[in-house]
Amino acid sequence: MPGPRFSICVFCGARPGLNPTHAETGRATGAMIARNGWRLVYGAGDVGIMGEVARAAQGAGAATLGVIPTHLITAERGKTDLTQFVITEDMHERKKVMFMNSDAIVVLPGGAGSLDEFFEVLTWAQIGLHRKPIFLVNAQGYWQPLETLLAHIVTQGFADATMLGLYTSVPDVVSLEAALRTALS
Ligand code: AMP
């Protein structure tokens, strides 16, 4: 049987956050990836929104690739029952392996780690290192302050306006699914 045609890298919180709808956004994302026959690539943790995405994707039959550095296996409860569970030496290698094995990047609500991951793929795109589509899921307006900051950076002359075209903001998982289908077709 052929493997999944596309792999979707999901960056998101290792915590659930205070708004319970973010967990639902995570579950809907996992189920959506499975429904489309895609593979989930993520940080291999079984905590927070990460765990929600992974359990939903896995439960709905998606292939899963998890990548986690040795020192986080305990803290982020490494989910060893994934289709592939890869252990890296450090965070840099983790992000590289996740990125290299993905066709598109999705950023759900999360904290500083999710921001680090978003900015890495955004800045790599900015300097022409890749053209993989990046989707920011602005669920419940969670990422609005980030979008305001990015626009501010442009209006203050620290980035070209084209930077804002290097990612696509979507309000929910329904829009994310449509955007991913278009981008990957
Ligand atoms: P957070 O959004 O802060 O909950 O973190 C989400 C995920 O990003 C967690 O799995 C963190 O371990 C991971 N993370 C945090 N900082 C980094 C980093 N510098 N490089 C790669 N992953 C990170």
Side-chain angles (χ1 to χ4, degrees):
M1 209 171 96
R5 241 179 108 209
F6 295 113
S7 294
I8 315 297
C9 178
V10 178
F11 295 136
C12 59
R15 299 176 185 220
L18 296 180
N19 183 340
T21 65
H22 294 323
E24 179 48 37
T25 298
R27 288 191 289 274
T29 300
M32 180 274 290
I33 288 171
R35 186 164 62 242
N36 284 276
W38 298 328
R39 177 175 68 156
L40 169 68
V41 175
Y42 87 115
D46 202 3
V47 290
I49 309 294
M50 295 169 74
E52 299 288 353
V53 177
R55 287 191 299 274
Q58 203 176 29
T64 50
L65 164 62
V67 187
I68 194 164
T70 320
H71 77 281
L72 284 180
I73 293 178
T74 304
E76 293 191 355
R77 280 194 246 137
K79 195 160 165 38
T80 54
D81 62 347
L82 301 168
T83 314
Q84 284 173 285
F85 181 76
V86 174
I87 299 172
T88 62
E89 271 185 28
D90 55 43
M91 303 303 257
H92 294 292
E93 195 186 357
R94 178 197 220 181
K95 282 189 288 189
K96 191 172 177 186
V97 172
M98 289 171 71
F99 178 78
M100 288 181 69
N101 284 284
S102 302
D103 299 293
I105 319 295
V106 168
V107 185
L108 300 182
S114 304
L115 278 174
D116 170 86
E117 291 159 331
F118 170 69
F119 276 111
E120 184 159 287
V121 292
L122 182 72
T123 52
W124 283 354
Q126 192 173 229
I127 56 176
L129 289 179
H130 78 91
R131 300 184 64 171
K132 295 183 184 183
I134 303 167
F135 298 97
L136 189 63
V137 183
N138 189 23
Q140 308 287 312
Y142 178 76
W143 289 122
Q144 203 50 57
L146 172 61
E147 297 211 60
T148 301
L149 174 62
L150 291 168
H152 171 73
I153 289 169
V154 169
T155 56
Q156 291 297 312
F158 281 105
D160 196 90
T162 53
M163 181 183 73
L164 303 177
L166 297 176
Y167 73 94
T168 303
S169 177
V170 293
D172 50 39
V173 180
V174 172
S175 312
L176 173 66
E177 180 171 19
L180 276 169
R181 283 186 180 179
T182 302
L184 297 173
S185 63

